[in-house]
């Protein structure tokens, strides 16, 4: 919301400067984003009148103007503006004037003709960016008057960034109400004058969607003259609030939008057939908006229609077919209240965002429409003339908001704000907010005003007291509480432990959106139909992720494109997986590595990370559970992963994750030059740990035996290890796979696997015979199950 400080001070005028006012508003929760002058820095510019304009003798595009500068001064000015003409009043920068950019005006000769100043365009004075000629001033502008004084340009525009809950401040009336409350000053609003009805012409209104539009008002204004220009004072106020002047009818509705916060619209009455119908659109109903955009509506959209078709997209934008034009002489002025929730997102679904939709989506005062109608009628009659008809109002009282009263306890103020506020101050603040306050025993019953949609519970009133009383005035006290430290169960691996373990292994944590690109989601999980967002913030965030890898791949792609030679990322979060029983939200952990395994340095040779590097990092996480032996990897296949470099992580018979290399096709599509390794694990399973149990350290020596066996290449090393553990006996303490060999001296269809077995007992020293017996059991089992042969 952007507004003129001078305009605000006509409503309420606190004794403070612009900066202090901006700070006060900010501290009250209406954050000021910018305070900017409404015009450039200039001096020596006056109001002048062109009395004669003749063609320059030596230049086709120049005119020699005789200008009345006031006080009997007549000057010759050479001007190239196409609208320079006799009788026009316009700004004149006299010799010695200083324009924005420190541009000094001097006497000069243009093509042999002396020029004693410069006639100024609005852009040359920092008033606008338009460059369509010199600025035209009203015919009654006093010649010789300083332009800054005439236009009251010693003003600033204040722009505030409102949070969605403060829709009441999307009009100058709401901001003035806040400033008056903060400074304990009365607010001088324009008088509410009921306009005289001078014609009986009226239009009927039918509400067919009462729950979405419970109040609609309209009024006929007959005999208007839209050739009359919008007064300069209104044009200036609109400009200082960021609006461009169009014509008197549009300017007045925009003025009411800014003044009271009530969106309004004016139709050409001669283009309306029958009465007004507020209804939901029919399926595939289309019409053209004022911005020439043709839209096709559905049954969920609301329209203002006549008996032939839509006139406006309700609460958002009017239609081109009923727009006012140069020949319009009869207006139908409308003001309505639309329920915020059903309207939310309607404009965005068509790529629109208008000042009307911005306000209606957040909530407009549902009792403001008649006041706005009378005020707009008053301005129209004063500016473009005409005769006003009676106001036609259709209302469904049962569908209007009915804010429940709020009970505020005095004891809660001291307890939650930490300060004692006397009852008189509490009541002054609450009434200043607009509440109707009734005092009861140690509390207040507060009726919520129609413009405060955000006040619903007691905490909202405490917030109002805090911000108006002043956050800086609240005492700084230490928080005291009886803190009971929660027990940390040992059978659970905390997320913090997993994060620290990954950071220690040189990973960076990424935090990605839960909604991702539909294309990459389909490539990762083609069998899952993801949840589609109704109003995505962009096409790249259109569906809810069923895999955390969608976001990690985009993050890695972003880093690689910026010359990062080594990317190691992880993320924890929810995956959204539709199923027969509804949407399942599963916590997961995803990891990604690509590029160099280690940072560049002289200590070790450089190589790129591979499948086994990531698998080792996953195994390091499994060790945190204290039960890594219960997990095992199995070769498998998964969409988007390399078929020869993919493994499922299992715990018993349950699959709890996977590790693999990105499929070369997807790797190419995402512009990765080097292989990308990814893993995704079930975070709930990974969080389950085994409670450590004490075991004494054996005082007796351990015996190690190394065994090398030759088996088929298809035999997985994990199967061999599991078989050895099952047959080595109770004295086996450690089992290590320390070599796998294929090559010279080995059958090409087979491989050599070398195992180290360590035996130990806690009560005595084992002898060689006992250990040899265990080794023989292992060898016999490997021969029987895998046709293994001892390697000599």
């Amino acid at each position: 919301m952007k507004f003129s400080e001078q305009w605000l001070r006509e409503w309420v005028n606190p004794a403070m400067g612009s900066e202090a006012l901006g700070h006060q508003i900010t501290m009250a929760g209406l954050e000021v984003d910018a305070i900017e002058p409404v015009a450039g820095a200039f001096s020596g510019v006056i109001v002048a009148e062109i009395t004669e304009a003749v063609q320059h003798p030596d230049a086709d595009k120049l005119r020699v103007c005789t200008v009345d500068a006031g006080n009997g001064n007549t000057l010759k000015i050479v001007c190239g503006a196409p609208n320079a003409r006799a009788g026009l009043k316009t700004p004149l920068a006299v010799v010695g004037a200083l324009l924005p950019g420190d541009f000094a005006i001097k006497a000069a000769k243009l093509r042999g003709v002396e020029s004693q100043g410069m006639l100024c365009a609005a852009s040359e004075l920092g008033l606008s960016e338009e460059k369509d000629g010199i600025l035209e001033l009203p015919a009654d502008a006093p010649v010789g008057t300083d332009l800054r004084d005439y236009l009251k340009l010693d003003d600033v525009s204040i722009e505030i960034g409102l949070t969605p809950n403060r829709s009441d401040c999307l009009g100058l009336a709401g901001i003035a109400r806040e400033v008056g409350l903060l400074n304990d000053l009365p607010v001088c609003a324009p008088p509410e004058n009921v306009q005289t009805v001078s014609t009986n012409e009226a239009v009927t209104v039918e509400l067919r969607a009462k729950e979405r539009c419970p109040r609609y008002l309209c009024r006929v204004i007959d005999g208007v003259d839209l050739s009359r220009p919008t007064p300069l004072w209104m044009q200036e106020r609109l400009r200082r609030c960021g609006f461009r002047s169009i014509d008197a009818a549009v300017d007045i509705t925009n003025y009411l939008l800014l003044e009271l916060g009530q969106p309004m619209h004016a139709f050409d009455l001669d283009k309306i057939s029958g009465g007004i119908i507020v209804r939901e659109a029919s399926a595939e109903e289309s019409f053209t908006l004022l911005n020439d955009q043709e839209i096709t509506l559905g049954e969920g959209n609301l329209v203002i229609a006549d008996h032939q078709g839509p006139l406006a997209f309700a609460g958002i934008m009017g239609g081109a077919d009923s727009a006012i034009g140069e020949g319009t002489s009869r207006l139908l002025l409308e003001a309505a209240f639309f329920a915020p929730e059903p309207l939310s997102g309607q404009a965005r679904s068509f790529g629109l965002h208008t000042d009307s939709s911005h306000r209606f989506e957040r909530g407009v005062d549902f009792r403001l429409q008649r006041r706005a109608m009378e005020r707009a009628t008053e301005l129209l009659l004063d500016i473009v003339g005409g005769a006003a008809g009676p106001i036609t109002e259709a209302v469904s009282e049962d569908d209007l908001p009915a804010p429940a009263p709020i009970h505020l306890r005095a004891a809660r103020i001291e307890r939650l704000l930490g300060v004692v506020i006397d009852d008189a101050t509490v009541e002054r603040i609450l009434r200043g907010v607009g509440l109707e306050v009734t005092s009861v025993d140690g509390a207040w019953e507060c009726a919520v005003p129609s413009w405060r949609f955000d006040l619903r519970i007691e905490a909202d009133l405490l917030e109002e007291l805090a911000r108006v009383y002043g956050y800086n005035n609240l005492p700084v006290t230490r928080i005291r509480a009886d803190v009971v430290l929660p027990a940390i169960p040992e059978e659970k691996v905390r997320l913090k432990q997993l994060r620290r373990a990954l950071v220690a292994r040189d990973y960076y944590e990424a935090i990605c959106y839960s909604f991702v690109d539909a294309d990459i989601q389909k490539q990762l999980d083609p069998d899952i139909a993801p949840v589609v967002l109704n109003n995505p913030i962009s096409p790249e965030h259109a569906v809810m992720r069923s895999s955390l890898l969608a976001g990690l791949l985009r993050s890695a792609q972003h880093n690689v494109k910026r010359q990062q030679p080594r990317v190691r990322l992880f993320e924890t979060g929810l995956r959204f997986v539709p199923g027969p029983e509804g949407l399942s939200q599963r916590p997961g952990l995803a990891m990604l590595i690509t590029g160099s395994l280690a940072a560049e340095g002289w200590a070790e040779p450089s190589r790129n990370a591979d499948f086994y590097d990531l698998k080792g990092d996953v195994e390091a996480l499994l060790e945190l559970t204290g039960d890594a032996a219960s997990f095992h990897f199995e070769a498998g296949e998964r969409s988007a992963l390399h078929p020869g470099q993919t493994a499922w992580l299992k715990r018993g018979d349950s699959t709890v994750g996977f590790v693999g290399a990105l499929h070369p096709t997807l790797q190419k599509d995402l512009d990765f030059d080097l292989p990308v390794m990814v893993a995704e694990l079930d975070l709930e399973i990974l969080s389950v740990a085994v409670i450590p149990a004490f075991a004494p350290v054996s005082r007796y020596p351990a015996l190690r035996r190394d065994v090398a066996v030759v088996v088929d290449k298809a035999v997985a090393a994990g199967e061999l290890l599991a078989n050895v553990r099952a047959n080595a006996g109770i004295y086996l303490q450690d089992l290590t796979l320390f070599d796998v060999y294929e090559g010279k001296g080995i059958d090409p269809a087979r491989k050599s696997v070398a195992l180290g077995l360590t035996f130990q007992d806690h009560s005595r020293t084992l002898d060689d015979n006992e250990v040899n017996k265990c080794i023989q059991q292992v060898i016999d089992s490997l021969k029987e199950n895998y046709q293994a042969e001892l390697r000599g």
Side-chain angles (χ1 to χ4, degrees):
M1 173 67 187
K2 190 176 182 180
F3 62 92
S4 159
E5 181 186 1
Q6 283 185 359
W7 190 8
L8 174 67
R9 289 185 181 275
E10 291 182 10
W11 287 66
V12 58
N13 191 10
M16 61 180 68
S18 303
E19 293 294 333
L21 177 61
H23 177 73
Q24 184 186 60
I25 294 174
T26 296
M27 294 306 296
L30 312 179
E31 183 177 0
V32 173
D33 291 335
I35 300 178
E36 299 175 342
V38 300
F42 65 83
S43 61
V45 181
I46 62 173
V47 176
E49 181 178 5
I50 301 175
T51 57
E52 183 183 19
V54 298
Q55 186 68 42
H56 191 289
D58 295 322
D60 293 339
K61 295 184 178 181
L62 296 179
R63 289 183 175 84
V64 180
C65 301
T66 303
V67 177
D68 179 7
N71 297 323
N73 294 327
T74 302
L75 304 175
K76 290 289 185 180
I77 308 292
V78 178
C79 178
N83 62 332
R85 62 186 184 274
L88 176 65
K89 290 187 176 178
T90 187
L92 167 65
V94 299
V95 173
L98 192 64
L99 298 188
D102 293 331
F103 180 66
I105 301 299
K106 301 177 182 178
K109 282 190 176 182
L110 297 177
R111 295 288 185 94
V113 177
E114 186 176 355
S115 181
Q116 300 170 304
M118 185 177 82
L119 301 179
C120 301
S123 59
E124 293 166 331
L125 301 175
L127 297 177
S128 75
E129 297 181 358
E130 296 181 4
K131 300 180 180 179
D132 53 354
I134 55 178
L135 178 62
E136 299 190 14
L137 298 176
D140 59 356
V143 174
T145 303
D146 187 283
L147 186 71
R148 297 195 73 90
D149 294 337
Y150 173 65
L151 294 180
K152 299 179 181 179
L153 295 179
D154 294 324
D155 185 17
V156 295
S157 290
I158 301 176
E159 185 171 2
I160 56 177
L162 292 173
T163 50
N165 63 312
R166 292 309 307 271
S167 60
D168 59 300
C169 290
L170 285 169
L172 196 72
I175 299 170
R177 189 164 46 235
E178 287 289 306
V179 174
L181 171 60
L182 295 172
N183 296 279
D184 199 14
L185 293 173
V187 177
C188 302
E192 300 180 25
N193 299 322
V194 177
Q195 300 304 299
T196 302
V197 174
S198 49
T199 175
N200 293 325
E201 188 171 6
V203 173
T204 60
V205 177
E206 180 183 357
L207 298 181
R208 293 184 184 174
K210 296 179 181 179
E211 68 285 350
R212 299 184 63 177
C213 178
R215 172 170 277 137
Y216 188 93
L217 285 75
C218 64
R219 165 179 259 173
V220 173
I221 310 290
D222 191 14
V224 299
D225 181 6
L226 294 183
S227 65
R228 297 185 190 178
T230 303
L232 185 62
W233 62 267
M234 183 177 286
Q235 291 186 40
E236 272 297 292
R237 286 184 176 176
L238 292 174
R239 179 185 71 82
R240 297 175 196 190
C241 296
F243 281 68
R244 183 171 60 89
S245 176
I246 298 175
D247 60 50
V250 175
D251 289 351
I252 288 169
T253 57
N254 284 338
Y255 187 82
L256 265 294
L257 177 98
L258 293 168
E259 184 179 69
L260 300 180
Q262 172 65 50
M264 301 185 71
H265 186 67
F267 298 106
D268 187 332
L269 183 61
D270 292 331
K271 298 177 181 178
I272 296 176
S273 175
I276 294 294
I277 304 171
V278 184
R279 60 173 173 82
E280 290 191 356
S282 305
E284 301 300 317
E285 189 169 24
S286 62
F287 77 113
T288 304
L289 299 174
L290 284 172
N291 63 355
D292 295 328
Q293 176 182 347
E294 186 172 349
I295 60 173
T296 300
L297 302 173
E299 296 180 358
N301 302 125
L302 190 69
V303 296
I304 310 299
D306 60 8
H307 286 80
Q308 287 189 342
L311 301 174
F313 192 178
I316 297 170
M317 187 180 290
D321 293 341
S322 58
I324 58 177
E326 293 182 0
T328 300
S329 61
R330 303 196 316 147
L331 301 178
L332 181 67
L333 195 62
E334 67 155 18
F337 169 75
F338 299 103
E341 289 81 4
L343 194 68
S344 180
Q346 295 275 316
R348 290 192 297 277
S349 65
F350 290 91
L352 299 170
H353 181 270
T354 65
D355 292 290
S356 294
S357 67
H358 186 79
R359 285 161 174 78
F360 280 128
E361 286 179 355
R362 287 156 176 77
V364 170
D365 182 353
F366 57 88
R367 302 199 183 280
L368 181 62
Q369 289 69 45
R370 183 171 287 272
R371 176 185 173 189
M373 182 67 74
E374 296 287 8
R375 174 72 168 144
T377 303
E378 179 183 16
L379 292 171
L380 277 168
L381 297 182
D382 288 345
I383 295 171
V384 296
I391 295 176
T392 302
E393 179 176 11
V395 60
S396 174
E397 292 288 348
D398 293 339
D399 293 301
L400 287 172
I406 303 173
H407 185 75
L408 174 63
R409 294 162 288 179
R412 298 287 288 179
I413 298 174
E414 182 180 359
R415 180 179 175 185
L416 295 183
L417 301 185
V419 63
V420 177
I421 305 177
D422 63 86
D423 292 357
T425 302
V426 170
E427 293 183 12
R428 179 187 67 80
I429 292 174
L430 296 178
R431 289 194 174 96
V433 169
L435 299 160
E436 294 181 12
V437 182
T438 302
S439 179
V440 294
D441 293 336
W444 294 273
E445 286 291 332
C446 305
V448 179
S450 55
W451 59 83
R452 288 303 296 268
F453 282 76
D454 58 317
L455 301 182
R456 298 179 181 178
I457 59 176
E458 185 180 37
D460 295 331
L461 299 188
L462 292 171
E463 181 183 357
E464 292 297 296
L465 289 175
R467 70 179 189 84
V468 177
Y469 185 77
Y471 294 118
N472 293 338
N473 296 325
L474 298 179
V476 178
T477 56
R478 294 182 179 180
I479 298 176
R480 295 189 177 186
D482 296 328
V483 178
V484 179
L485 295 177
I488 301 177
E490 290 188 81
E491 65 271 13
K492 182 176 179 60
V493 179
R494 290 177 294 162
L495 182 58
K496 184 183 294 185
Q497 292 174 268
L498 297 172
R499 285 172 170 161
R500 285 178 175 173
L502 288 170
V503 170
R505 300 183 75 84
D506 214 13
Y507 281 80
Y508 287 86
E509 183 173 11
I511 300 175
C512 305
Y513 284 110
S514 295
F515 19 91
V516 297
D517 191 315
D519 292 336
I520 192 170
Q521 171 66 42
K522 185 176 181 180
Q523 288 177 294
L524 291 172
D525 284 324
D527 298 330
I528 294 179
V531 178
V532 180
L533 299 180
N534 290 332
N535 298 296
I537 59 176
S538 71
E540 291 76 25
H541 301 91
V543 299
M544 301 300 291
R545 65 188 181 192
S546 63
S547 169
L548 299 179
L549 294 179
L552 276 190
L553 286 169
R554 287 299 187 195
S555 298
Q557 183 186 48
H558 181 86
N559 281 272
V560 168
K561 286 183 177 180
R562 283 152 182 81
Q563 294 80 48
Q564 294 299 317
R566 180 171 177 268
V567 178
R568 299 172 67 86
L569 300 173
F570 78 93
E571 183 183 12
T572 60
L574 293 176
R575 299 164 294 171
F576 303 87
V577 183
E581 299 179 358
L583 183 66
S584 172
Q585 301 185 40
R586 305 174 187 172
L589 183 149
M591 303 161 62
L592 179 150
I593 61 174
T594 186
S596 303
L597 175 62
E600 186 177 6
W602 56 268
E604 54 185 292
S606 175
R607 71 172 180 86
N608 292 326
D610 60 22
F611 172 87
Y612 295 101
D613 294 315
L614 183 57
K615 179 173 175 287
D617 292 333
V618 171
E619 289 174 336
L621 294 181
L622 301 181
E623 291 291 342
L624 296 177
T625 67
D627 191 25
S630 66
F631 294 89
H632 64 279
F633 291 92
E634 287 185 6
E637 292 187 3
R638 179 182 168 88
S639 178
L641 298 186
H642 195 299
Q645 298 184 48
T646 302
W648 296 109
L649 176 63
K650 294 195 172 185
R651 193 176 206 176
D653 295 330
S654 300
T655 301
V656 297
F658 62 85
V659 182
L662 203 63
H663 196 284
T665 302
L666 182 55
Q667 175 186 323
K668 183 179 179 181
D669 291 344
L670 296 177
D671 296 328
F672 287 111
D673 294 329
L674 297 174
V676 180
M677 309 300 153
V678 296
E680 189 162 13
L681 312 175
D682 189 318
L683 196 55
E684 289 184 344
I685 299 297
L686 200 61
S687 300
V688 178
V690 173
I691 298 177
F694 171 76
V697 177
S698 177
R699 297 163 50 196
Y700 302 97
L703 295 177
R704 171 167 169 146
R705 294 287 187 271
D706 292 343
V707 177
V709 293
V710 179
V711 295
D712 288 342
K713 283 185 177 181
V715 176
E719 291 186 44
L720 293 178
L721 295 174
N723 186 276
V724 170
R725 289 192 184 95
N727 293 280
I730 61 173
Y731 300 128
L732 181 68
Q733 295 296 313
D734 188 34
L735 176 61
T736 303
L737 170 65
F738 64 86
D739 184 52
V740 177
Y741 174 73
E742 298 175 17
K744 185 177 180 180
I746 302 294
D747 185 338
R750 294 165 73 80
K751 63 183 176 182
S752 171
V753 179
L755 306 173
L757 295 82
T758 302
F759 297 91
Q760 190 178 34
D761 187 36
H762 288 278
S763 61
R764 61 189 176 87
T765 300
L766 297 174
D767 59 35
D768 288 342
N769 291 331
E770 290 176 300
V771 174
N772 291 338
K773 183 179 178 181
C774 294
I775 293 294
Q776 190 60 48
Q777 290 175 191
V778 170
I779 294 172
D780 291 344
S781 177
L782 293 177
K783 286 182 178 180
E784 180 182 350
N785 292 292
Y786 302 103
Q787 292 74 50
E789 298 177 2
L790 278 175
R791 183 180 174 194

